[in-house]
Amino acid sequence: MSAYFVQRNPNGQQAEGSLSMRRPGQFHFAYSPPSTLEVVSDGRNVAIRDKKLGTNDVYPVAQTPLKFLVQENIDLSRDTKVRDVQVGRDGVVTVRFDDSATLGGTSKITLRFDSRANALRQWTIIDAQGYETTVTLSGLNATYRRDARASQ
């Protein structure tokens, strides 16, 4: 999958760039200038790189809210505490849940799916300190793997 993203940060600033993802586990957020960030996952870890500062912070993907984007099988009833599910007239499904397995404490996560297009459109994460980050996707280009079991 690839998409264009706009990220609204807790300080009100916006960053944008391109996202490429291959499930399970791999993704790459390439931020456009003036941002110097890059976020990469190999399936086990997430690296947040700042080219300007020369930093490379690495975290286990299972301890980040991003795990919900890259897991092979997502079971919100097992992995989280679902707080609310709504289906809008426009076909947008909004799922709100708490994830207590994130580094630093519980994160509150909201995922928005376009059920008509079968696509994730947006997510919002409020971390344990109360900082809110929203990422909105557009220009989604997805290629779905063929299920080998379906052809048997």
Side-chain angles (χ1 to χ4, degrees), residues 67-124:
K67 67 183 167 225
F68 298 105
L69 300 178
V70 296
Q71 288 175 324
E72 181 71 32
N73 297 305
I74 300 168
D75 185 349
L76 294 178
S77 66
R78 182 191 72 217
D79 299 332
T80 68
K81 179 180 179 186
V82 176
R83 295 185 295 126
D84 187 35
V85 177
Q86 295 179 356
V87 180
R89 291 182 190 182
D90 58 357
V92 173
V93 178
T94 302
V95 181
R96 290 182 178 86
F97 57 93
D98 295 339
D99 176 22
S100 59
T102 55
L103 195 64
T106 299
S107 293
K108 296 182 183 307
I109 301 169
T110 302
L111 301 176
R112 289 188 176 83
F113 298 91
D114 181 338
S115 64
R116 294 176 182 155
N118 193 30
L120 177 64
R121 293 294 183 210
Q122 183 182 69
W123 65 86
T124 300

Side-chain angles (χ1 to χ4, degrees), residues 35-80:
S35 177
T36 57
L37 290 179
E38 175 182 50
V39 180
V40 180
S41 173
D42 63 2
R44 291 187 191 151
N45 296 300
V46 175
I48 302 172
R49 301 176 181 149
D50 189 320
K51 297 172 200 164
K52 181 178 180 182
L53 299 177
T55 57
N56 186 46
D57 300 319
V58 179
Y59 307 95
V61 72
Q63 293 180 358
T64 73
L66 296 171
K67 67 183 167 225
F68 298 105
L69 300 178
V70 296
Q71 288 175 324
E72 181 71 32
N73 297 305
I74 300 168
D75 185 349
L76 294 178
S77 66
R78 182 191 72 217
D79 299 332
T80 68

